[in-house]
Amino acid sequence: MTDGHTIQLPQLRDPQLRVLMRTATAKDAVMAAAVLLQAGIETQVCADLPELLREMERGAGALLISEEMLAGSGATELAAAVAVQPPWSDLPVLILARQGADSRAITTAMEGMANVTVLERPIRVASLVSALRSALRARRRQYELRRILEDLNEADRRKTEFLATLAHELRNPMAPLSTALAILKRKPLTSEAARPYYDLMGRQLDHMVRLVSDLMEVSRITRGKIELQLDELVLEQVIRGAVELSRPLMDAGRHTLELHIADASLAVKGDSVRLTQVFANLLNNAAKYTPAGGRIDVFVENDGQGHAVVRVKDTGAGIPAAMLGAIFDMFVQVSGTARAAQGGLGIGLTLVKSMVELHGGTVTASSEGANQGSEFTVSLPLLDHEVRAGAKAGASEATMAVQHRILVVDDNRDAAESLAALLGLLGAQATVAFNGLDALAKAEHFHPSVGILDIGMPGMDGCELARRLRAHPRLHGIGLIALTGWGQPDDRLRIAQAGFDHHLLKPVDVEELAVALQKLDQRGAA
């Protein structure tokens, strides 16, 4: 409604690009709206300045205002409204001025707002359309800037979220590692008695290596992508690994933990490290939010419909009904439990949900209410057959026992000598070199069948050494394995072009090394 006249306009397609208009008379508004609509410019006529200011909060591409509407305090009010825009925004304001000298209202408007265009009346239609189109193009660029800033903020949020998750998860394997080292330092043990502690340390080290590898993949983090390394897993072994991770918290809380595993042969396809993280987080949550001396039960069952179901049930603080829908959101903690959580960041359950869904499963939470305990249920697709534990490891050990002659080259002496010692224990003949020239000299007399080369060495790097070994008349058939910290796609391409047969990442995974050596054996036999 304007000056007693109703102006019928079509429904706006995009309020963010509409022109908010307040002209001197209703006739001017009707004519201007019709002309601009024919030019493809959407307008909304406002009855007065207060309405125009309210509509600005909903979004606008530009303002078209007659000078008369800025009389009195109008110019100051408009300047104040424009001044509170977000940093990316610079709303264009077009003022239809009367002929003659600039009025006080015009001067106030130009001093109070940065993006002001004054158009003197009467104005040609083409000039008005051109001015508005220019203003709207500039406004679109501002919206593009807003989108870019939002994307950057989202990318930064994801990286921050990931780093918080990483710091949270690194603490889990550190506890058993520290405990095992303390035991080995303080108590002399036979090789057989120490074996469980060495195995424990190896498993926890694997967890930490995988987490650090994720940190290196910055591009995947910003897109929220985490690559899974899928394998056939016995679910019972995954659960027991998670129990091992959470044992320090269980012991600190003097909790009773019991496993109820109805079928020890349940097998799933998944990432062992990630699934262990999932169940360790659920157990850690149960330990944190259960008063000292509580009870925690883990049930592993077959639901009879092709899924393995794991339920983690505790007698702890419980979850209010209003919180059940948000408990898996990032940084959410149940009110009043922050102290019980020992300052946790509230990211564990978010990690659980994302990892379970990546495995094609689901996770839900239930509780009878505050102080009534809680239960988390994870459902994962079952494999059609059982996994024979240990079969893969046995085959790898047999492969490693073959009498290879292996040249280990690394400028880090500890890394080279420890790897050579490991290879020797596994049945290979190994010698070490600490730079490229030393490696070429030793290869002349040692005649290695396999070279395991570091890449980032000073002077002659691993790629140049590989090319020289390949060019040697008596070594052109040598098997070459790159063992390096460089693992980006460009690095892999450069290493493959240098003539390497395999590319492994530090620290060495004995299983992966065994597979690489086995493939070299098969190639040699062929």
Side-chain angles (χ1 to χ4, degrees):
M1 186 76 69
T2 304
D3 292 348
H5 297 276
T6 300
I7 301 175
Q8 299 292 336
L9 295 172
Q11 186 174 1
L12 298 177
R13 294 191 300 271
D14 187 357
Q16 297 293 311
L17 288 173
R18 61 185 175 163
V19 175
L20 298 180
M21 184 166 57
R22 177 65 181 115
T23 56
T25 66
K27 181 179 178 181
D28 290 343
V30 171
M31 292 179 59
V35 168
L36 294 176
L37 185 61
Q38 285 186 339
I41 298 174
E42 297 186 4
T43 60
Q44 179 164 335
V45 178
C46 299
D48 49 30
L49 186 59
E51 181 184 347
L52 183 140
L53 297 180
R54 289 194 300 272
E55 289 297 324
M56 275 178 58
E57 297 178 1
R58 293 181 52 220
L63 305 183
L64 181 62
I65 307 173
S66 66
E67 179 182 345
E68 290 82 356
M69 297 303 103
L70 300 179
S73 63
T76 303
E77 292 177 21
L78 180 60
V82 170
V84 297
Q85 298 177 92
W88 58 267
S89 179
D90 189 17
L91 181 65
V93 179
L94 288 78
I95 300 176
L96 296 174
R98 293 172 294 199
Q99 286 183 319
D102 289 342
S103 66
R104 179 178 295 275
I106 294 288
T107 302
T108 301
M110 294 183 67
E111 290 177 349
M113 296 178 288
N115 194 357
V116 176
T117 301
V118 178
L119 304 172
E120 190 173 277
R121 303 193 307 252
I123 183 173
R124 295 176 59 182
V125 170
S127 298
L128 177 61
V129 170
S130 176
L132 281 172
R133 283 178 174 169
S134 295
L136 292 175
R137 277 197 300 270
R139 189 62 170 168
R140 287 190 182 93
R141 287 194 293 270
Q142 293 174 27
Y143 289 141
E144 290 172 3
L145 176 61
R146 177 182 64 181
R147 179 185 57 78
I148 292 171
L149 289 174
E150 289 173 349
D151 289 347
L152 289 173
N153 287 334
E154 175 65 12
D156 185 64
R157 185 193 67 80
R158 286 185 178 275
K159 281 190 282 190
T160 301
E161 174 183 324
F162 176 82
L163 291 173
T165 303
L166 180 71
H168 177 267
E169 293 307 314
L170 280 174
R171 291 189 180 95
N172 288 335
M174 283 180 181
L177 272 173
S178 177
T179 302
L181 281 172
I183 292 172
L184 292 172
K185 284 181 178 179
R186 288 167 174 77
K187 184 177 180 181
L189 299 173
T190 64
S191 298
E192 184 175 350
R195 173 58 57 186
Y197 298 107
Y198 291 132
D199 291 342
L200 178 152
M201 292 166 67
R203 287 192 296 272
Q204 306 317 316
L205 183 60
D206 288 342
H207 281 270
M208 297 179 74
V209 168
R210 285 286 303 280
L211 291 169
V212 173
S213 295
D214 282 339
L215 179 61
M216 296 170 63
E217 297 290 344
V218 176
S219 63
R220 294 191 299 113
I221 299 165
T222 56
R223 296 195 304 271
K225 296 181 179 179
I226 298 178
E227 182 180 350
L228 298 179
Q229 296 184 13
L230 300 177
D231 203 350
E232 297 181 352
L233 306 174
V234 175
L235 194 54
E236 179 188 11
Q237 294 177 356
V238 175
I239 298 298
R240 294 193 184 278
V243 169
E244 187 176 279
L245 283 174
S246 62
R247 179 61 66 185
L249 278 176
M250 295 290 175
D251 293 343
R254 304 191 305 278
H255 300 312
T256 299
L257 172 64
E258 287 199 20
L259 300 182
H260 309 269
I261 301 177
D263 186 350
S265 68
L266 294 181
V268 299
K269 188 164 187 176
D271 185 314
S272 176
V273 171
R274 298 304 184 188
L275 286 180
T276 302
Q277 283 179 275
V278 164
F279 296 114
N281 275 337
L282 292 178
L283 289 169
N284 287 345
N285 254 31
K288 289 176 182 179
Y289 294 110
T290 298
R295 179 181 178 89
I296 298 167
D297 291 275
V298 180
F299 301 87
V300 183
E301 304 159 335
N302 186 338
D303 69 354
Q305 299 178 1
H307 289 81
V309 176
V310 180
R311 295 185 290 121
V312 179
K313 187 174 183 179
D314 63 61
T315 58
I319 307 170
M323 292 293 299
L324 283 173
I327 198 67
F328 293 102
D329 292 344
M330 188 70 173
F331 305 122
V332 169
Q333 289 186 340
V334 177
S335 177
T337 61
R339 181 174 297 179
Q342 303 167 18
L345 296 175
I347 60 178
L349 291 179
T350 305
L351 181 67
V352 166
K353 184 174 185 293
S354 62
M355 290 303 171
V356 169
E357 290 177 350
L358 284 174
H359 283 82
T362 59
V363 58
T364 57
S366 61
S367 175
E368 296 296 324
N371 301 316
Q372 298 298 311
S374 58
E375 181 174 321
F376 289 85
T377 302
V378 175
S379 176
L380 295 168
L382 277 170
L383 283 178
D384 293 333
H385 58 279
E386 299 177 4
V387 177
R388 300 188 180 277
K392 182 177 179 182
S396 299
E397 289 178 8
T399 300
M400 289 297 292
V402 175
Q403 294 295 316
H404 289 286
R405 298 176 62 82
I406 301 177
L407 173 63
V408 179
V409 187
D410 197 319
D411 62 313
N412 184 318
R413 288 177 174 265
D414 289 341
E417 290 173 350
S418 61
L419 178 56
L422 175 62
L423 293 169
L425 290 173
L426 295 170
Q429 296 182 51
T431 189
V432 299
F434 306 119
N435 58 64
L437 292 176
D438 186 26
L440 290 173
K442 289 190 174 179
E444 284 282 348
H445 306 288
F446 185 64
H447 302 299
S449 59
V450 175
I452 301 178
L453 315 182
D454 181 33
I455 297 300
M457 297 185 293
M460 185 188 304
D461 70 2
C463 290
E464 177 61 24
L465 175 58
R467 284 189 284 267
R468 294 201 186 187
L469 289 172
R470 286 276 186 240
H472 195 287
R474 292 193 303 276
L475 296 174
H476 63 274
I478 187 175
L480 293 179
I481 299 173
L483 182 60
T484 177
W486 300 101
Q488 298 299 313
D490 289 346
D491 301 320
R492 292 187 177 276
L493 177 61
R494 178 170 60 93
I495 289 168
Q497 290 173 341
F500 283 93
D501 299 291
H502 298 285
H503 183 159
L504 305 181
L505 291 178
K506 291 181 177 181
V508 62
D509 183 300
V510 178
E511 187 66 34
E512 290 183 2
L513 181 57
V515 171
L517 290 171
Q518 185 179 37
K519 290 180 179 179
L520 291 175
D521 283 342
Q522 293 169 350
R523 186 191 70 177

